[in-house]
Amino acid sequence: MTSPKDLLQQWIGERAGAERPWLENQLAILAAPAATERDLHLFLGFAPRRLGKADLALSPEALAAAEAARPGWQPGDWSIDGAARVLGLLTFSGDRPFAETFKDLRRTSDAAEMIALYRGLPLYPEPESLHFEVGEGLRSNLKPVFEAIAHNNPYPRDHFDEHRWNHMILKALFIGAALGPITGLQDRANPELARILVQYARERWAAGRPVMEELWPLVGPFAETPEIRTQLDRARAEGRVIEEFVS
């Protein structure tokens, strides 16, 4: 089976054109035992200029290979420069723990760089060591940064506890991020999340605001839980049409 790193190198190399020798030379530098973080920073900085920012535009076969290499990995909306940044991190053989290098990169990144860093989460070593930095991304006021973690990314599904998972779903609703692209959405549904979502819906209705229909399939499996049933019955009494979503 081809590794995610090898797939990224193949895809980027196929699109690098005349810059392919530069790419291969830079990756060799990063893989060498003597590689420094300055080498990494130089590669990350030059990648957009040398390789461009076009979409990877992966074929169905390439996406299937990504899924086989890392279940849940969905790089269908990645750009060439973003993929190169992730490849650089996977190739670099630094002396410090990966989480420390990642932390420093996140703190000095612009929005585009941060999006690329977070999209690479399912591929990095020592994923449990990245929880704090992932939390910082979830707290971001930039919707695309939040979505880089929440959308088409198996990291939350695989590494979040129930509290953090539920908080991510609720924040998605608050900032208007779609729920559908969240990997593992139905698999991670839970009674506490259902309770939170019904309460959220009733507060929205009370304020005269619409409720995103995507939340109701997360409530439906727990509709007979006493507290949730009481809240749903009150919603029906107020004339809310929710039967098709929770029946």
Side-chain angles (χ1 to χ4, degrees):
M1 183 184 299
T2 307
S3 71
K5 182 169 77 71
D6 288 342
L7 286 175
L8 287 170
Q9 186 167 348
Q10 173 189 329
W11 297 335
I12 299 166
E14 291 170 349
R15 293 156 177 79
E19 296 293 345
R20 186 163 189 165
W22 174 85
L23 172 67
E24 293 175 349
N25 179 63
Q26 289 296 305
L27 294 175
I29 291 172
L30 292 177
T36 67
E37 294 200 7
R38 181 177 181 275
D39 296 322
L40 176 63
H41 283 271
L42 287 173
F43 174 76
L44 298 179
F46 276 106
R49 291 177 245 177
R50 302 296 295 259
L51 302 173
K53 301 180 181 181
D55 293 339
L56 273 179
L58 297 174
S59 68
E61 292 76 17
L63 293 174
E67 174 66 27
R70 178 22 173 127
W73 180 30
Q74 302 173 61
D77 56 353
W78 285 28
S79 63
I80 295 174
D81 61 313
R85 287 184 172 114
V86 174
L87 176 59
L89 275 173
L90 295 177
T91 304
F92 177 60
S93 57
D95 295 330
R96 294 197 299 164
F98 182 85
E100 293 184 13
T101 300
F102 186 91
K103 176 180 69 176
D104 289 344
L105 289 172
R106 182 193 63 78
R107 290 179 175 177
T108 58
S109 292
D110 61 23
E113 292 165 342
M114 204 176 300
I115 289 167
L117 289 173
Y118 281 126
R119 282 178 170 171
L121 283 172
L123 310 181
Y124 298 143
E126 304 172 5
E128 298 294 340
S129 69
L130 299 174
H131 276 307
F132 178 82
E133 298 307 320
V134 172
E136 292 297 293
L138 291 175
R139 285 187 284 274
S140 172
N141 292 323
L142 298 175
K143 183 177 174 183
V145 172
F146 173 88
E147 291 177 339
I149 300 171
H151 284 179
N152 302 316
N153 190 334
Y155 184 94
R157 178 198 66 189
D158 296 343
H159 298 287
F160 281 10
D161 62 18
E162 185 174 286
H163 175 76
R164 176 166 277 189
W165 176 266
N166 292 350
H167 177 79
M168 182 184 76
I169 301 299
L170 190 59
K171 177 159 184 182
L173 293 170
F174 276 121
I175 67 174
L179 299 185
I182 296 176
T183 303
L185 186 65
Q186 293 295 332
D187 294 339
R188 292 294 306 267
N190 59 82
E192 176 62 14
L193 177 60
R195 185 193 67 77
I196 292 170
L197 293 179
V198 173
Q199 180 179 345
Y200 164 83
R202 299 199 72 234
E203 291 173 354
R204 295 278 295 181
W205 286 328
R209 297 176 179 174
V211 173
M212 187 184 296
E213 293 180 357
E214 285 182 297
L215 68 82
W216 294 114
L218 305 179
V219 174
F222 310 99
E224 296 306 319
T225 303
E227 182 179 359
I228 295 174
R229 171 56 56 189
T230 298
Q231 294 291 328
L232 293 175
D233 287 344
R234 289 177 181 171
R236 292 187 182 93
E238 295 166 358
R240 308 297 177 184
V241 181
I242 57 178
E243 302 301 335
E244 63 180 300
F245 305 116
V246 298
S247 59

